[in-house]
Amino acid sequence: MTNFDIDTDIGSGFGLDDGLDVSIVAWGIAGLPLLVTFVQTVLSLLDLTAETLGIRGVLDPIYSIDVVFQAAEVFKDQPSLVAALFVLITIAWIVQGAAMIALDHRDLAFGAAGLASILYLVLFFGVYSPLFGSGIGAGQLVGFFAVPVLATALVVSAAWIHDWSEEVLAETSGRLGDLEARIGDARDRFESRFADRLGPLDALEPVAPTGVGEAEAAADRFHGRCDELLEEIDRAQRIEDPDRRREEVSTVESRVDSLDPAATVNRIADDLRQRVVSGVRTEFGDITVRSRYGGAYTLANLPSRYREVSLPPDGAAVRTADLNTVLQDRIESGAALSDVGEAIGAADDHMARIDSFLADHEERADATIERVRARLETVDEQLDRLPESVRSSARDVLVENREESITGRTAIERTLTDAADALHDCAFDECERLLEQADAESERLVAAAEFFRALDGRVQHGGSSVDVPAAVDSAAVEAVAEAMGEAHDRSVSVTDGRVRIGDDETDAESAFGRGSTRDTTRDTGADREENRHADGPGSTVDDGTAGGVGSDTDADASSTKRPEEVLDAALYFLRELEEHARSTDGDRVQYQIDDLPTTIAEPDMLENVERFLRNQSDLITEVELQDPDPPAFFEVVVADEHQATDAIRTARDRYTERYG
C-alpha cells in the first residue's frame, strides 16, 4: 500500500485531510495526562498545594479518579524525572510539528515522532509502573495505559500519512505516466475497432457522404480528446505544488476513465449504418438512367452482362433491379460495414459501366440526330426564302409529306422520335437503322429545299433550264414548279428529269444533272491556271459585286462557266463545306474534293466558289484550292470574329441571293 493509499484510507476514516490533523488529535490525547503531570510538577517544585492556590475544588473531580490519584502519588516520589521527560517529549513534538509544517522534512519528522513516542512510553510504563500493584481496578489501568499507546500510534501515523512533497511528486509522476500509457492504449483500441467495424469509408461515401463525414469527424473528436488529455498530463507534470498536482492528477484520471473506445466506435458505426441504409435507398431504390432527351432507358433490355452484377464478398449474382433490396438486407442483417462498402463499391462500378455503355450509344445517336436536325433547320430557312405564293406548295412537299416520292420534315421528325424511343428501349440496332434512314432522307430533303430555292431564283430572273438533281425526284419538283411559274408569270415544266423554263431548250447540263459535258482531255491544272490569267483580271468571274467583271460579255471571253451556270453544284458544295465545318473546332476548314460526287466536282464550279469566297473578306480571310482536279483539298480560313459554320452558311446565302 502506497503513502497515498494510507492517506486516503486513514484520512477518510477519521474525516481528516492529512497527517497534521492526525497529529493534533494525538497531541490532544497525550497532552491531557501531561497537563495534569505539568500541574503536579509546578506545584511540587514551588512547594505549593491546591489548597494554597484555591483550586482544590477544580482538581478534586480529577483526583477522585483512583488511577489519577495513585499516579499523582507516584509522581511525588520522583518529580524531577517526570518533569525532565515531560520537557523532552514536548520538545520532540515541537520538532515534529516544525518538520511537518514548516520544513517538509520527512526524516526529521519521523525521528522526532519516534523520540516522543519512546519517551512517552518510558514515562508511563517506567515511572508509573508501580500502579500495576496498587490495587486499582483493571478497567482504570487499561484506560490509563491505553493513552500512551494510542497517542504514540497517532503521532507516528501522522508523520507517515503526511503529504511529503517529494513523495507526492514522485507518486503523482508515476500516476501521470500510467495515464499517458492508458491514453495510448485507448487510442490504439479505438483505431483497431474502428477499422474492424467501419472499414474503409471511401466505398460508403457515394451513398452516404454526410454519414462518412460525420464518422470521420467523430473519430477526429476522439483523437482530439486524447491529445487534450496528453496536454493536460504535460501541464500537470510541471506543477510543483503537491496539493495542486494531486488535484490535477485526480481530474485527469476521471477524464481518462471516461474514455470508452469500444462504446464510441459502436455509436459511430450505428449512426453510419443508418445513414448508409438511407443512402442505399436513395441511390439504388429507383435505378433509372435518363437520356439527354428526357426519356428513361429500359435497363431490363440491356445485354446480360449489364443486367446482373456479382457482389462481394460472396460473389453472389444480383439483378441490377434488385440491388436496393439486397444491399438493405445485408445492412439490416448486421453485415460488417466494410463488406457492405465493398458491395456498394461493386454496385456503383456496375452502374458506372451501364452509364458509360448507354452514353456511348447516346453519343453516336446524338451525332446523327443533331446532323438531321441541322438539315431540317436548313429546310425551314430555304422555305422562308421562297415567295409566299410558292411556300405553301413547297411546304406540302418538304414538310407535310404529301408527295410520296420524297420524305417530308414531319415524317423525318417522327422517325427521329421513333429512333429515340428505340434508344430508350435499348433496341440499339433498330435505333441505328432508323437514324440511318432519317440521315439519308434529310440529306435528300435539304437537297430538294436548296434546289427549290435556287430554281425559284432562276425562274424569277429569267434563267435557263436546268436538270433536276439526282438526289431529288422529278415528281417532287413537278408539285412545286407550277406554283413557281404562276408566281413569276413564266412557263415552268418538268420533262424527262429537266426543268424547262419558258421556251429555253438548251441542253447545257447542270452540275446536278444526270450527265456531264466535262471534257476529260482538257488541259492540266497548271495549263488552266495559265489560261485563267492570260488575259489578266478582266477574264475572271468574281462574285458579281459592283465594279467586278461578271457580265455575260466577260463570261463569253472566259474559259470558265458563269456562277449562275454552276449554281446548283456550288450550293451543294457549299452545303457540304458547312456540314464539314460543324466538326471543326478551329477557324480552318479543309475539305477533300475527292469526297464530292463526280458530277459535282467540276473545276468550273470549284474555281467559281474559290473566287466568290475570296471576295467575302469579312467572313473568309484565306481560300486555297490546291488543284481543281480531284483528288485535291479546298481549304478556307474563317475570320476571327466568326464561327466556321456560321461564316460558310452566310457565304452560301449570299451566293444564292446573288446568282439564285
Side-chain angles (χ1 to χ4, degrees):
M1 180 178 293
T2 64
N3 291 348
F4 173 74
D5 297 326
I6 295 173
D7 179 33
T8 302
D9 297 338
I10 297 178
S12 61
F14 281 92
L16 306 172
D17 295 332
D18 54 28
L20 290 177
D21 300 308
V22 178
S23 298
I24 293 172
V25 175
W27 294 332
I29 293 173
L32 180 59
L34 285 179
L35 179 62
V36 175
T37 304
F38 174 75
V39 172
Q40 288 180 327
T41 303
V42 172
L43 292 176
S44 298
L45 292 175
L46 297 177
D47 195 19
L48 298 175
T49 64
E51 289 83 353
T52 59
L53 294 175
I55 58 174
R56 181 68 181 180
V58 177
L59 296 178
D60 283 344
I62 298 175
Y63 286 119
S64 65
I65 301 173
D66 192 21
V67 69
V68 175
F69 179 78
Q70 293 296 330
E73 292 297 323
V74 172
F75 171 74
K76 291 179 181 180
D77 295 335
Q78 41 190 349
S80 299
L81 176 61
V82 174
L85 290 174
F86 170 75
V87 171
L88 292 175
I89 291 172
T90 303
I91 293 173
W93 280 356
I94 293 173
V95 172
Q96 180 185 357
M100 294 173 63
I101 298 173
L103 302 178
D104 194 31
H105 197 294
R106 186 175 184 274
D107 294 338
L108 180 59
F110 270 100
L115 177 61
S117 299
I118 293 172
L119 293 175
Y120 205 53
L121 292 173
V122 169
L123 172 63
F124 273 79
F125 289 96
V127 176
Y128 293 109
S129 58
L131 294 178
F132 288 104
S134 61
I136 301 172
Q140 290 188 25
L141 285 176
V142 171
F144 182 78
F145 285 101
V147 170
V149 175
L150 181 59
T152 299
L154 290 175
V155 168
V156 174
S157 297
W160 179 261
I161 66 174
H162 179 66
D163 289 338
W164 304 104
S165 297
E166 292 182 0
E167 292 185 357
V168 170
L169 295 178
E171 174 261 330
T172 52
S173 294
R175 289 165 61 192
L176 290 174
D178 292 341
L179 292 176
E180 190 171 358
R182 287 177 58 190
I183 293 171
D185 178 66
R187 191 195 295 268
D188 292 340
R189 286 188 289 121
F190 177 87
E191 292 177 351
S192 176
R193 189 170 183 84
F194 190 93
D196 291 341
R197 289 215 56 188
L198 278 75
L201 297 179
D202 292 345
L204 299 173
E205 191 166 9
V207 297
T210 303
V212 168
E214 291 180 354
E216 292 175 340
D220 291 340
R221 286 194 297 272
F222 183 86
H223 290 300
R225 285 183 61 195
C226 293
D227 293 338
E228 290 176 1
L229 289 172
L230 290 175
E231 292 176 1
E232 291 184 15
I233 289 175
D234 184 62
R235 286 195 298 269
Q237 288 280 19
R238 294 194 294 270
I239 297 175
E240 296 296 336
D241 181 79
D243 293 333
R244 281 189 56 213
R245 178 183 281 198
R246 179 169 286 167
E247 181 181 355
E248 185 68 19
V249 170
S250 298
T251 301
V252 175
E253 276 182 330
S254 64
R255 294 192 60 191
V256 172
D257 291 340
S258 67
L259 289 177
D260 192 344
T264 303
V265 171
N266 291 342
R267 184 172 60 255
I268 295 173
D270 292 342
D271 292 344
L272 180 58
R273 189 177 292 273
Q274 294 178 0
R275 295 277 189 175
V276 172
V277 170
S278 177
V280 166
R281 189 181 299 114
T282 301
E283 186 73 14
F284 301 103
D286 180 19
I287 298 180
T288 302
V289 180
R290 306 195 70 84
S291 76
R292 67 187 68 187
Y293 310 114
Y297 288 99
T298 306
L299 302 183
N301 294 337
L302 286 172
S304 59
R305 65 182 183 276
Y306 297 108
R307 293 198 302 269
E308 291 184 347
V309 57
S310 177
L311 291 184
D314 54 5
V318 177
R319 291 195 313 152
T320 301
D322 296 335
L323 282 174
N324 175 50
T325 303
V326 172
L327 290 175
Q328 285 199 59
D329 287 345
R330 291 190 180 187
I331 298 171
E332 293 171 355
S333 64
L337 282 176
S338 56
D339 293 340
V340 173
E342 192 176 0
I344 289 175
D348 196 57
D349 291 342
H350 178 68
M351 294 306 303
R353 288 192 295 271
I354 291 178
D355 289 341
S356 177
F357 176 75
L358 294 176
D360 289 343
H361 282 282
E362 190 173 300
E363 286 292 337
R364 290 197 293 271
D366 189 67
T368 302
I369 291 173
E370 288 299 316
R371 184 167 60 250
V372 171
R373 286 176 174 169
R375 288 170 179 166
L376 296 182
E377 289 178 2
T378 300
V379 171
D380 288 339
E381 292 173 0
Q382 296 301 328
L383 280 172
D384 291 340
R385 294 174 179 272
L386 291 173
E388 186 173 354
S389 57
V390 179
R391 195 178 304 153
S392 177
S393 298
R395 284 186 61 84
D396 289 343
V397 174
L398 299 178
V399 177
E400 303 301 335
N401 206 48
R402 294 180 181 176
E403 175 56 50
E404 294 182 358
S405 63
I406 191 169
T407 303
R409 188 190 68 191
T410 302
I412 293 176
E413 288 176 343
R414 188 163 50 249
T415 302
L416 290 180
T417 300
D418 293 341
D421 292 341
L423 177 68
H424 295 149
D425 289 338
C426 298
F428 302 115
D429 291 341
E430 175 65 9
C431 174
E432 185 176 357
R433 184 190 68 78
L434 291 171
L435 289 179
E436 288 177 354
Q437 174 185 329
D439 192 30
E441 291 173 345
S442 66
E443 188 173 14
R444 289 193 296 271
L445 187 66
V446 77
E450 291 183 339
F451 178 71
F452 288 168
R453 173 73 179 90
L455 179 61
D456 181 75
R458 179 163 294 198
V459 172
Q460 179 181 1
H461 298 293
S464 59
S465 298
V466 61
D467 288 336
V468 177
V472 183
D473 193 276
S474 297
V477 180
E478 289 177 0
V480 183
E482 182 178 354
M484 289 183 181
E486 293 177 356
H488 302 298
D489 196 23
R490 297 202 65 187
S491 172
V492 181
S493 62
V494 181
T495 305
D496 296 331
R498 185 174 180 80
V499 179
R500 302 186 181 277
I501 303 172
D503 296 329
D504 188 0
E505 297 297 332
T506 179
D507 286 333
E509 293 288 347
S510 166
F512 275 120
R514 305 178 187 279
S516 174
T517 58
R518 178 181 175 187
D519 185 1
T520 57
T521 63
R522 75 171 87 194
D523 294 339
T524 64
D527 295 336
R528 184 166 54 254
E529 185 70 17
E530 180 179 352
N531 292 335
R532 223 167 81 189
H533 296 285
D535 298 325
S539 64
T540 63
V541 180
D542 67 358
D543 65 343
T545 57
V549 284
S551 65
D552 291 344
T553 304
D554 292 332
D556 292 340
S558 172
S559 61
T560 60
K561 293 181 180 180
R562 292 177 299 174
E564 57 269 25
E565 293 181 303
V566 294
L567 174 65
D568 300 325
L571 290 177
Y572 181 92
F573 174 57
L574 287 172
R575 180 168 56 82
E576 289 296 310
L577 198 62
E578 178 187 344
E579 289 282 341
H580 197 66
R582 294 182 188 277
S583 59
T584 301
D585 294 332
D587 57 356
R588 185 177 298 272
V589 182
Q590 191 179 67
Y591 190 92
Q592 188 172 5
I593 297 173
D594 199 35
D595 291 339
L596 290 170
T598 55
T599 57
I600 300 298
E602 291 270 346
D604 290 333
M605 181 275 295
L606 296 172
E607 291 171 358
N608 271 282
V609 171
E610 178 191 13
R611 293 190 189 98
F612 177 78
L613 292 180
R614 286 186 185 278
N615 286 298
Q616 312 305 312
S617 58
D618 60 324
L619 303 173
I620 308 295
T621 58
E622 296 181 24
V623 183
E624 180 181 0
L625 174 61
Q626 292 181 349
D627 189 338
D629 287 321
F633 283 97
F634 192 99
E635 185 175 74
V636 300
V637 178
V638 180
D640 292 339
E641 62 271 17
H642 294 284
Q643 295 290 332
T645 304
D646 296 338
I648 296 175
R649 177 184 298 177
T650 301
R652 179 165 58 88
D653 291 341
R654 290 178 182 178
Y655 195 96
T656 302
E657 290 174 356
R658 183 167 299 279
Y659 302 115

